Amino acid sequence: MNKKIFVTQPSLPSLDEFIPYLEKIWNNKVLTNNGEFHKKLEKELAEYLGVEFLSLFCNGTIALLTALQTLEITGDVITTPYSFVATAHSIKWNNLNPVFVDIDPESFCLDPTKIEQAITEKTTAIMPVHVYGWPCNCDDIQKIADKYHLKVIYDAAHAFNVKYKNETILKHGDLSVLSFHATKVYNTIEGGAIISHNIETKNRIDKLKNFGFAGETSVIESGINGKMNEIQAAFGLMYLKKVDSYIEKRKHIFLKYTELLFNVTGVQLKREQPDVVYNYAYFPVQIDKDLCGKSRDEVYEYLKTKNIFCRRYFYPLITDFVMYKETFSLATAKQVADQIICLPIYPDLNLSDVEIICDTIINFINVNL
Ligand code: T4K
């Protein structure tokens, strides 16, 4: 590959399209604190995603922190070790204790059959992750939550506009949290949102993200500054107009990879689940050394020498970082983390580049077979 190819890259519409938004901001001189674009984006995004109550945030991590504050979670929170570290950090920053439970070998999301063994009198919530935008088994998770009176906060950072049985997966749980980081399917440069299910909860979230202010001189909560600014919101409005076409382009890339890697021994692809409308956020594959003779790390390093910069999302497991510890067996998560590699996928990636990436992998693992 002559040029460098990264795991992802944001699509940027022509700069001319952004200038009118900036001119408006320059004229209004409102840069943040629930300005015109912020209000418009909250409304348009809620409509687009098919949800009733959406609160914008400066990023997904602060949104996760605030989601836990909103529901006044205490004690232990059951979560997955197979995620970006922000999931567990948000629990720890609330002085709560993350309890890690293994993942399901098909979806790579929290395994509902393993949750009950981890529940104690200290457990108050579950924080599953729709990892890569693949839906968790929300029905089974909710049954357990109902049985033990637990709250459920979905880390839906990857799950922008993912649908299951024609409905948004953001309707599940007590709250869902999205990330709009530059590396995501939909981005506001940095950004995020909490999806809630009634106006009282949205009002509480909106206070918590604005220092706890309930009026000019009244602070009723120890809130934080989680506000999205007007330039982020304007960018988000512009991006929202394009996102359907971006997801469509991602789909073509996803299908091309699937076609080219489908039958390659030792390269295991994810099977699409029935009734799910994906956003094609990531293209993870598992490299099985026993079958292809090359380890994931060998493939990863080799691709780098060819200017193809993949990512090992999510290796190491969160429980391998010093501040966290493993209590239950995480055998499936460990195996997946050791084999996973996310191949480049983004709207502007050429299909001819996808062919080169696949050829490079196939040629490398076929050597010495
Ligand atoms: N929960 C989950 C499950 C998450 O995955 C995340 C974030 C969060 C919560 C927290 O949400 P935020 O607070 O971030 O909103 C990236 C992202 O920084 C992070 O948002 C994301 N998950 C995570 C999975 O991936 P890195 O360290 O891999 O990013 P970076 O900068 O190495 O970017 C990857 C590649 O993308 C680069 O090699 C080049 C390309 N890139 C990146 C940026 C930022 C661009 O082309 N342009 C850019 O502006 O973490």
Side-chain angles (χ1 to χ4, degrees):
M1 196 75 78
N2 294 328
K3 56 189 176 194
K4 289 185 175 179
I5 302 249
F6 295 100
V7 66
T8 188
Q9 186 184 73
S11 295
L12 292 177
S14 101
L15 192 53
D16 291 345
E17 288 189 47
F18 197 39
I19 300 295
Y21 292 94
L22 292 178
E23 282 172 349
K24 210 159 193 180
I25 293 171
W26 255 244
N27 287 336
N28 288 347
K29 299 193 171 43
V30 176
L31 303 183
T32 187
N33 287 6
N34 203 18
E36 185 184 333
F37 287 136
H38 184 285
K39 289 194 186 101
K40 197 164 159 34
L41 182 62
E42 270 199 352
K43 189 166 171 290
E44 289 194 13
L45 261 180
E47 276 167 20
Y48 177 88
L49 294 170
V51 298
E52 244 182 311
F53 302 102
L54 181 150
S55 302
L56 290 171
F57 274 79
C58 55
N59 63 54
T61 306
I62 299 287
L64 281 172
L65 285 179
T66 309
L68 288 157
Q69 287 278 323
T70 304
L71 301 180
E72 298 179 351
I73 302 300
T74 57
D76 290 0
V77 179
I78 293 174
T79 190
T80 166
Y82 192 75
S83 181
F84 191 59
V85 74
T87 310
H89 282 355
S90 71
I91 296 170
K92 208 153 175 88
W93 269 59
N94 272 291
N95 281 326
L96 304 168
N97 181 37
V99 176
F100 298 96
V101 164
D102 208 359
I103 58 170
D104 171 78
E106 287 295 319
S107 68
F108 299 173
C109 298
L110 199 57
D111 185 343
T113 67
K114 306 272 170 62
I115 292 177
E116 281 193 88
Q117 63 172 1
I119 295 175
T120 68
E121 69 283 357
K122 288 197 217 143
T123 313
T124 59
I126 310 174
M127 186 182 274
V129 180
H130 300 297
V131 73
Y132 307 128
W134 294 322
C136 296
N137 184 338
C138 299
D139 291 342
D140 285 3
I141 291 172
Q142 195 56 53
K143 274 183 206 145
I144 297 165
D146 290 344
K147 182 171 167 191
Y148 294 94
H149 309 292
L150 307 176
K151 300 285 186 195
V152 182
I153 299 173
Y154 280 100
D155 180 337
H158 304 169
F160 183 84
N161 210 28
V162 171
K163 297 193 178 79
Y164 180 60
K165 294 191 175 163
N166 287 327
E167 285 191 309
T168 173
I169 59 168
L170 302 173
K171 71 169 201 164
H172 292 284
D174 294 278
L175 299 173
S176 290
V177 176
L178 291 159
S179 163
F180 305 147
H181 182 261
T183 53
K184 298 294 191 291
V185 167
Y186 169 80
N187 90 81
T188 58
I189 307 172
E190 294 267 3
I194 303 182
I195 310 301
S196 51
H197 305 307
N198 56 64
I199 189 64
E200 293 75 28
T201 310
K202 175 172 164 49
N203 286 341
R204 180 158 159 73
I205 294 166
D206 290 346
K207 283 189 191 77
L208 280 169
K209 76 169 190 192
N210 187 27
F211 310 99
F213 271 106
E216 192 186 329
T217 54
S218 151
V219 175
I220 57 167
E221 310 256 15
S222 48
I224 200 165
N225 182 356
K227 292 171 276 115
M228 177 180 276
N229 70 50
E230 283 293 276
I231 295 188
Q232 286 172 286
F235 189 94
L237 283 165
M238 176 184 66
Y239 217 87
L240 195 55
K241 292 187 184 151
K242 312 273 174 189
V243 73
D244 282 340
S245 69
Y246 293 159
I247 292 175
E248 193 57 29
K249 286 184 184 169
R250 286 176 173 275
K251 182 175 181 178
H252 288 134
I253 293 162
F254 187 98
L255 293 177
K256 190 76 185 166
Y257 272 128
T258 306
E259 174 199 324
L260 295 174
L261 294 175
F262 182 60
N263 262 333
V264 179
T265 307
V267 178
Q268 206 179 315
L269 311 185
K270 292 290 300 175
R271 267 179 300 190
E272 291 200 51
Q273 298 163 32
D275 298 324
V276 177
V277 177
Y278 289 95
N279 61 16
Y280 307 98
Y282 296 87
F283 196 87
V285 299
Q286 279 171 271
I287 306 291
D288 187 338
K289 187 173 182 173
D290 291 342
L291 294 177
C292 71
K294 294 287 192 308
S295 71
R296 183 274 314 276
D297 288 343
E298 286 171 300
V299 174
Y300 172 77
E301 293 299 336
Y302 180 74
L303 288 172
K304 280 208 281 192
T305 69
K306 300 291 174 194
N307 268 346
I308 302 162
F309 296 89
C310 302
R311 274 295 161 95
R312 289 165 289 184
Y313 298 132
F314 289 100
Y315 163 84
L317 287 183
I318 293 177
T319 41
D320 288 335
F321 298 126
V322 286
M323 65 296 282
Y324 297 112
K325 67 173 191 300
E326 177 183 335
T327 311
F328 297 96
S329 162
L330 303 174
T332 306
K334 276 183 188 155
Q335 189 194 350
V336 177
D338 284 344
Q339 294 185 332
I340 205 78
I341 183 165
C342 287
L343 304 182
I345 184 164
Y346 51 89
D348 298 332
L349 183 64
N350 298 321
L351 292 180
S352 56
D353 288 334
V354 174
E355 284 174 14
I356 295 175
I357 294 167
C358 293
D359 283 349
T360 310
I361 295 171
I362 292 165
N363 290 337
F364 180 61
I365 64 178
N366 279 341
V367 172
N368 303 329
L369 264 191

